[in-house]
Every structure is written in C-alpha cells, then in structure tokens.
Amino acid sequence: MAQRFGALRLSCASTSLRGQYRTLWDKSEKKHAYPSGLPHIVNYNHVSRTLVSQAQGVAKTAEESGTVAKPIGYPWRIVSAVCVQRFPTLSRQKTPFELEFEEHKDIKRAERSRLSNHELTLLDYARKRAERDKKALAESLDDTQLPPLEGNDEFDELQESREAEVGQFRPAPRETLADLSDDKKSLHRKLDRVLYLLVKKARQEHAWQMPQGGLEKEESLAQAAVRELREECGSGLNVKFLSGAPALYFSYLNPAPSPAGLIGSKVFFIKAQYLSGNVVVDNSELDDYVWVTKDEMKGYVSDEYYKKGGCGLFAETPPLG
C-alpha cells in the first residue's frame, strides 16, 4: 500500500513539474521576447536546467522515502548543431521565361521614360541628317556638295569609343577550376548557389552531419555551437552567427537506452554565415569535410536528416541585410 501511495505521489509530482515547465516557459517568453517572437535561448536552457534539477530532487525525496528505486532524470541528450552557409557570390542564371520577361520590361520602361539630353541631341542630329539626305536626293547632290552637319564628328567618335569599350569586355566564366574538378573542399565552386558545411565522423553509419555536439554543464545552445565549431573545424574558420536562437530542431531515439538512461537526442540547429578562413578538422573526431549544395547533400546525409532540415535550413537566398 505504501509503495502504491508513493508511486501515486511521484506521478502527481511529475504532473506538477509539467505544469511548472509551461509556467516557466510562458514567463520566459513574455519577459525575453525578440521581435521575431522567439524566446531567448539562454532562458530556454535555464528553464530546462531548472526542471531537470527539480525532477532529480523529487526523485531523491521519493527514493529516501522508499517509494521508488530508480531516480528520475531528463531522458534526452541536448545537442547543438551549426548550419554554416556560404552565400552566393553570383546571381543565378535566368530561365528563358525570365529573360523574355526582362526584355518586355525594358521595352515598356523605355517607352514610358523621359529622354535624356544626350538622347534628345541624337534625335535632333538624326532629324537634320534625314533632311540633308532628302535634299541631296531631290537635287542629285553628293556629300561633297552638301554643307557638313554640326556635331557629326563628335557623335561618331563617341559612338566608336563606346563600341570599342563594349567589345573589349570579357565576362569571367561562371564555372571555376573547382567546378571542373568537382573539388568539394573548395569554396570557389557553385558560386550561384548556397553551400553548406558537412563533417564526417569516424564511424560507418550516419557519418556525415553538420558540426555538432552535446551541451556541457551550465552551457547554452549558442555557447555550445561556438565551442563545437571551433573544436571540430579549427579556429581559422570565421563565421557570423545569424541568431542566438535555433532555426529548428529534430529528435531521434537511440536503438537502446544509453548507460546514462538517455532514450534519444534532440538536435537544435543554429545558422551561421561563412565569412573567411579555411576548415581544419580535428582528426581525433573527424575524418573529412565537404562544402555541398542542397541537392548534393542528399548523397551524404540520411533521408530523415535531410527532410527534417529541408524546409527551415536549406534556403537558396541569403537573408536581408
């Protein structure tokens, strides 16, 4: 009877903790709300740590009273991952429809726009030349018998210089040597696409992933992201974190409970923009790294990993500002 009463008491305590979790979360969201509506990630970790300590305290009390033999703890491993993106340096090639629509807009813009002084001068010169040619035809005169037009030499020289300048321009090729050699360690490839950093763990299954690692004691998600990126990819990689809050997260279950009693992991992704530097992987943890596009990523990560991050992480346009 005492054991049943103790189990009921522990169940009520767990229900109370869930209510406290919601209350703490609501208070944190109201007090530390960003313009985007996301609560401050440090406060989220504070709430999580508070609830875990409370759950452990309830378990300790129940164990001392002899009502339960196994302590209660937070059953998930919290992981912070970094989505490092190299944004495009070239605009993407336009489709035939886009080119046709752009030409249509240029025509309409030219029809509705006011003429500049240079264009008015050119029209006046064309009008005078047409009258001169008409007079030469009517009177059977050649160019030597007609008075020269004012500004003829000036406009001809200007037109020739502009045509020469345009003729000398040679655009740089869109495909680089890294594109031709398919060097996925180089950032000088796919210049019109977003590239994502993947690292390879020293294991057979699910080896490729974004830089990530578990939270250490009293560490926030943002702090863990900075530390893991530095430890796995070196201090020479310079990035700019776009937010202190995660863009999204997904969870997965372990095949079997870990020795610590964890049933799975919750991975929180924080976005970062590549600025400069190179990746130098930690050989004690990683085997390799690549910079890949969204489409190329499918050949490296699992379907679940790709689908979970597909809508929130793999954007093809850089953020505004």
Side-chain angles (χ1 to χ4, degrees), residues 239-251:
V239 303
K240 174 186 177 183
F241 283 88
L242 303 180
S243 174
L248 57 83
Y249 90 99
F250 80 95
S251 59

Side-chain angles (χ1 to χ4, degrees), residues 45 133 283 297:
N45 288 308
D133 293 341
N283 294 326
M297 190 178 295

Side-chain angles (χ1 to χ4, degrees), residues 154-281:
E154 178 183 352
F155 286 113
D156 288 344
E157 291 177 1
L158 180 61
Q159 188 68 18
E160 290 176 2
S161 65
R162 288 183 175 178
E163 291 178 356
E165 183 179 356
V166 173
Q168 293 175 357
F169 175 75
R170 295 291 182 272
R174 298 181 69 91
E175 284 190 337
T176 63
L177 294 177
D179 285 315
L180 298 177
S181 62
D182 197 25
D183 183 8
K184 291 186 172 61
K185 285 186 171 61
S186 174
L187 285 164
H188 301 290
R189 59 183 293 271
K190 303 293 183 181
L191 299 180
D192 59 346
R193 301 290 300 276
V194 179
L195 293 183
Y196 301 90
L197 175 61
L198 294 180
V199 295
K200 184 180 181 182
K201 293 284 187 178
R203 60 193 182 201
Q204 295 297 326
E205 296 184 357
H206 306 291
W208 288 98
Q209 61 185 22
M210 295 180 180
Q212 65 182 49
L215 271 66
E216 296 182 353
K217 186 177 180 180
E218 300 299 327
E219 192 176 43
S220 69
L221 289 175
Q223 292 169 343
V226 174
R227 176 182 55 78
E228 285 294 335
L229 186 63
R230 182 176 62 251
E231 291 177 355
E232 295 189 356
C233 301
S235 58
L237 182 65
N238 300 318
V239 303
K240 174 186 177 183
F241 283 88
L242 303 180
S243 174
L248 57 83
Y249 90 99
F250 80 95
S251 59
Y252 61 90
L253 297 175
N254 296 329
S258 67
L262 302 178
I263 63 174
S265 298
K266 291 187 177 183
V267 185
F268 293 80
F269 291 89
I270 298 180
K271 286 187 174 183
Q273 176 185 356
Y274 169 82
L275 297 178
S276 63
N278 298 314
V279 176
V280 180
V281 297

Side-chain angles (χ1 to χ4, degrees), residues 1-305:
M1 184 69 180
Q3 291 182 350
R4 290 184 179 180
F5 178 75
L8 179 61
R9 176 186 175 188
L10 184 61
S11 175
C12 293
S14 300
T15 304
S16 175
L17 282 178
R18 285 195 294 268
Q20 294 178 33
Y21 183 94
R22 181 174 297 277
T23 302
L24 286 172
W25 177 261
D26 292 341
K27 289 182 179 179
S28 175
E29 186 175 8
K30 292 178 181 178
K31 185 177 180 181
H32 301 282
Y34 277 103
S36 60
L38 290 173
H40 198 289
I41 196 62
V42 176
N43 292 312
Y44 168 78
N45 288 308
H46 170 70
V47 171
S48 299
R49 288 194 295 267
T50 302
L51 293 174
V52 171
S53 62
Q54 289 179 358
Q56 292 173 346
V58 171
K60 184 177 180 181
T61 303
E63 186 176 6
E64 291 175 351
S65 64
T67 58
V68 64
K70 190 175 181 180
I72 297 176
Y74 192 67
W76 295 92
R77 177 173 178 257
I78 303 300
V79 178
S80 182
V82 189
C83 176
V84 184
Q85 306 166 92
R86 189 229 61 187
F87 293 125
T89 56
L90 292 179
S91 59
R92 298 192 68 174
Q93 288 185 323
K94 297 177 181 177
T95 64
F97 173 78
E98 290 174 333
L99 292 173
E100 185 177 352
F101 181 70
E102 188 178 55
E103 182 181 0
H104 172 74
K105 288 199 305 181
D106 291 340
I107 293 174
K108 292 300 181 183
R109 189 183 298 112
E111 291 176 352
R112 298 178 181 180
S113 63
R114 298 181 62 181
L115 298 179
S116 64
N117 293 336
H118 177 67
E119 291 172 322
L120 292 173
T121 305
L122 287 177
L123 288 176
D124 184 60
Y125 175 76
R127 180 183 58 79
K128 292 179 179 179
R129 186 178 183 87
E131 293 177 355
R132 182 173 177 269
D133 293 341
K134 183 178 179 181
K135 180 179 179 181
L137 182 62
E139 300 180 5
S140 301
L141 301 174
D142 54 17
D143 290 341
T144 58
Q145 297 174 324
L146 294 173
L149 289 175
E150 296 181 0
N152 186 11
D153 296 337
E154 178 183 352
F155 286 113
D156 288 344
E157 291 177 1
L158 180 61
Q159 188 68 18
E160 290 176 2
S161 65
R162 288 183 175 178
E163 291 178 356
E165 183 179 356
V166 173
Q168 293 175 357
F169 175 75
R170 295 291 182 272
R174 298 181 69 91
E175 284 190 337
T176 63
L177 294 177
D179 285 315
L180 298 177
S181 62
D182 197 25
D183 183 8
K184 291 186 172 61
K185 285 186 171 61
S186 174
L187 285 164
H188 301 290
R189 59 183 293 271
K190 303 293 183 181
L191 299 180
D192 59 346
R193 301 290 300 276
V194 179
L195 293 183
Y196 301 90
L197 175 61
L198 294 180
V199 295
K200 184 180 181 182
K201 293 284 187 178
R203 60 193 182 201
Q204 295 297 326
E205 296 184 357
H206 306 291
W208 288 98
Q209 61 185 22
M210 295 180 180
Q212 65 182 49
L215 271 66
E216 296 182 353
K217 186 177 180 180
E218 300 299 327
E219 192 176 43
S220 69
L221 289 175
Q223 292 169 343
V226 174
R227 176 182 55 78
E228 285 294 335
L229 186 63
R230 182 176 62 251
E231 291 177 355
E232 295 189 356
C233 301
S235 58
L237 182 65
N238 300 318
V239 303
K240 174 186 177 183
F241 283 88
L242 303 180
S243 174
L248 57 83
Y249 90 99
F250 80 95
S251 59
Y252 61 90
L253 297 175
N254 296 329
S258 67
L262 302 178
I263 63 174
S265 298
K266 291 187 177 183
V267 185
F268 293 80
F269 291 89
I270 298 180
K271 286 187 174 183
Q273 176 185 356
Y274 169 82
L275 297 178
S276 63
N278 298 314
V279 176
V280 180
V281 297
D282 180 8
N283 294 326
S284 63
E285 294 188 29
L286 306 175
D287 287 344
D288 203 356
Y289 75 94
V290 290
W291 291 94
V292 294
T293 63
K294 178 181 69 173
D295 298 329
E296 294 171 340
M297 190 178 295
K298 297 178 181 178
Y300 290 86
V301 301
S302 64
D303 292 340
E304 181 185 10
Y305 194 97

